């Protein structure tokens, strides 16, 4: 390895964000960076597989995206699994990174881990100021612990292990499985299944919940560019929120209507209010990011949804359905 060369190991490297990073680095190559993308079939991040992975690749930097993830309904039914699996995975990656002298680790949190009872907009200082929403306490506490561990590795060993806090992410290569997925891929999968044999006026598409909750959504390709910037330029242990502007917040109904438009759906949208809404809102401030990158351009939401729908229709048979 030549002087100054980075060996960057990306866990979760073949998922929604990992694939987006693979595409993004093609557009902003750095000669002294060697990228290694690890998928779930390469390691499940128990102690043994994690130790072997670090011994094999000897990374200098790690982008840690691998996690047990899921939408609202999957979280509600599996909170203990989300807690235990993510805690073990995260502890193995951070400890073996430290033992192998990894210079920097960027771990991935989420805006859904912030306190349920809070003031808005949420910012990075508020992560531990109260319990998370009950629907996803397992995932939330496991992710919050990463921030605590990062501070421990800094205090005890001077490590710059940090974390990013994306808002809801969507894009190509997402998980479209109807019961495990997040709202955007879940709606896309169910609407495509409804119309792929005929897109007619009599078709009725059901959106779960009231449609009233508010969310900020970042396109995976935009998040990938920001993660590469964090790798190269952001050197603080403190978490940084990577979200679209507060003004870009939309309701679940607006999301459903935008997806229906992208499919040119001719039928009717109805709401199943017997299904849970989850958190009403989790409006996050990207003021800290904007201080560093005031001119960063996010892909317009409608365009990003259309690009994802087009990708999904073309790759339906290959997609994680
Ligand atoms: O993306 P999502 O599942 O998770 O969005 P959260 C849930 C919202 O979309 C709720 C509505 O208001 C649902 O009622 N919704 C409507 C649907 N139709 C659907 C559908 O077909 N599928 C799904 N999944 N929702 C998650 C956290 O919260 O955010 C996770 O639970 C994670 O831990 C993720 O952090 C980013 O945004 O509510």
């Amino acid at each position: 390895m030549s002087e100054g060369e980075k060996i960057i190991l990306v866990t979760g490297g073949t998922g929604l964000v990992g694939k987006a990073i693979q595409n993004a680095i093609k557009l902003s190559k750095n000669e002294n960076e060697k990228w290694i993308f690890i998928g779930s079939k390469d390691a499940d991040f128990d102690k043994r597989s994690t130790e072997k992975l670090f011994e094999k690749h000897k990374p200098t930097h790690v982008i840690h995206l691998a996690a047990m993830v899921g939408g609202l309904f999957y979280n509600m039914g599996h909170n203990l699994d989300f807690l235990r699996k993510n805690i073990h995975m995260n502890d193995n990656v951070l400890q073996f990174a430290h033992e192998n002298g990894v210079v920097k680790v960027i771990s991935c949190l989420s805006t859904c881990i912030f306190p349920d009872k809070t003031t808005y907009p949420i910012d990075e200082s508020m992560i531990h100021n109260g319990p998370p929403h009950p629907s996803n306490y397992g995932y939330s506490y496991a992710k919050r612990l990463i921030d605590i561990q990062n501070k421990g590795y800094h205090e005890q060993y001077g490590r710059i292990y940090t974390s990013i806090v994306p808002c809801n992410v969507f894009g190509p290569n997402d998980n479209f499985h109807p019961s495990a997925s997040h709202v955007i891929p879940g709606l896309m999968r169910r609407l495509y299944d409804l119309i792929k044999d005929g897109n007619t006026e009599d078709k009725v598409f059901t959106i779960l919940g009231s449609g009233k909750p508010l969310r900020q959504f970042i396109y995976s390709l935009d998040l990938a560019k920001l993660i590469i910037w964090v790798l190269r330029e952001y050197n603080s242990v403190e978490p940084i929120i990577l979200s679209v502007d507060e003004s870009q917040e939309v309701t679940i109904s607006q999301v459903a209507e935008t997806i229906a438009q992208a499919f040119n759906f001719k039928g009717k949208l109805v709401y199943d209010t017997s299904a849970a809404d989850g958190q009403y809102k989790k409006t996050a401030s990207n003021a800290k990011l904007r201080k560093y990158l005031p001119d960063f351009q996010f892909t317009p939401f409608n365009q990003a949804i259309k690009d994802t729908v087009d990708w999904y229709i073309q790759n339906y048979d290959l997609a994680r359905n």
Side-chain angles (χ1 to χ4, degrees):
M1 189 176 83
S2 59
E3 179 62 25
E5 186 188 27
K6 290 188 184 120
I7 299 174
I8 304 139
L9 186 83
V10 183
T11 75
T14 58
L16 167 64
V17 181
K19 281 270 190 189
I21 294 175
Q22 291 189 41
N23 291 327
I25 54 166
K26 287 176 194 148
L27 307 171
S28 75
K29 257 195 161 344
N30 250 359
E31 287 322 308
N32 70 340
E33 291 174 353
K34 180 178 168 224
W35 290 76
I36 301 161
F37 292 91
I38 301 297
S40 50
K41 63 184 182 327
D42 305 314
D44 62 4
F45 297 103
D46 63 1
K47 273 200 181 343
R48 188 79 201 96
S49 64
T50 312
E51 186 175 26
K52 274 170 61 184
L53 197 68
F54 277 84
E55 276 166 7
K56 178 178 176 187
H57 296 293
K58 299 188 178 17
T60 58
H61 294 66
V62 173
I63 297 175
H64 176 38
L65 304 174
M68 178 179 178
V69 297
L72 166 68
F73 302 107
Y74 200 61
N75 271 270
M76 286 169 72
H78 303 85
N79 266 296
L80 178 63
D81 293 342
F82 274 94
L83 181 72
R84 296 191 65 248
K85 287 195 177 153
N86 285 312
I87 284 179
H88 291 309
M89 199 185 279
N90 298 336
D91 189 49
N92 290 334
V93 169
L94 288 173
Q95 182 56 20
F96 281 111
H98 166 61
E99 291 178 11
N100 287 272
V102 169
V103 173
K104 185 170 177 181
V105 178
I106 301 166
S107 295
C108 194
L109 310 186
S110 162
T111 53
C112 76
I113 72 172
F114 284 101
D116 180 34
K117 305 265 178 297
T118 180
T119 53
Y120 298 100
I122 295 167
D123 69 40
E124 290 86 351
S125 69
M126 299 155 83
I127 289 188
H128 305 287
N129 293 358
H133 191 269
S135 62
N136 69 339
Y137 70 84
Y139 181 81
S140 297
Y141 280 118
K143 288 291 188 180
R144 290 185 183 192
L145 203 51
I146 292 178
D147 179 45
I148 304 293
Q149 287 170 290
N150 286 346
K151 280 153 182 155
Y153 282 105
H154 184 65
E155 192 182 276
Q156 214 161 302
Y157 302 110
R159 295 292 188 202
I160 300 289
Y161 292 179
T162 190
S163 57
I164 55 171
V165 192
C167 56
N168 286 40
V169 193
F170 72 98
N173 300 294
D174 203 341
N175 177 353
F176 292 83
H177 189 283
S179 57
S181 60
H182 293 107
V183 56
I184 286 178
L187 288 173
M188 288 183 180
R189 162 72 195 272
R190 293 193 296 107
L191 181 50
Y192 188 55
D193 283 354
L194 179 71
I195 62 173
K196 62 184 189 299
D197 305 329
N199 180 5
T200 50
E201 259 113 52
D202 63 322
K203 295 277 173 99
V204 177
F205 181 53
T206 304
I207 294 105
L208 305 176
S210 69
K212 293 193 173 69
L214 292 155
R215 295 288 184 271
Q216 289 156 291
F217 292 98
I218 188 168
Y219 191 36
S220 57
L221 299 177
D222 295 338
L223 178 59
K225 289 176 193 164
L226 292 174
I227 291 173
I228 292 167
W229 170 80
V230 169
L231 175 84
R232 293 173 178 166
E233 309 291 344
Y234 181 73
N235 291 309
S236 159
V237 176
E238 292 302 319
I240 182 165
I241 288 174
L242 303 182
S243 170
V244 296
D245 300 337
E246 292 157 59
S247 60
Q248 301 303 307
E249 193 175 45
V250 290
T251 64
I252 297 297
S253 294
Q254 285 172 297
V255 172
E257 282 151 19
T258 307
I259 291 172
Q261 208 171 19
F263 277 107
N264 190 24
F265 178 52
K266 304 213 180 324
K268 204 167 140 236
L269 301 184
V270 297
Y271 290 85
D272 171 5
T273 50
S274 70
D277 269 348
Q279 288 170 279
Y280 173 64
K281 60 188 264 181
K282 40 185 169 177
T283 317
S285 159
N286 67 2
K288 180 173 177 180
L289 173 66
R290 282 290 184 206
K291 265 205 219 90
Y292 290 98
L293 299 173
D295 304 323
F296 184 84
Q297 297 290 320
F298 292 97
T299 306
F301 182 66
N302 294 10
Q303 182 58 53
I305 288 286
K306 184 75 178 82
D307 292 350
T308 307
V309 164
D310 292 346
W311 178 90
Y312 186 54
I313 293 170
Q314 279 150 36
N315 294 278
Y316 181 81
D317 296 336
L318 299 172
R320 283 186 289 162
N321 271 324

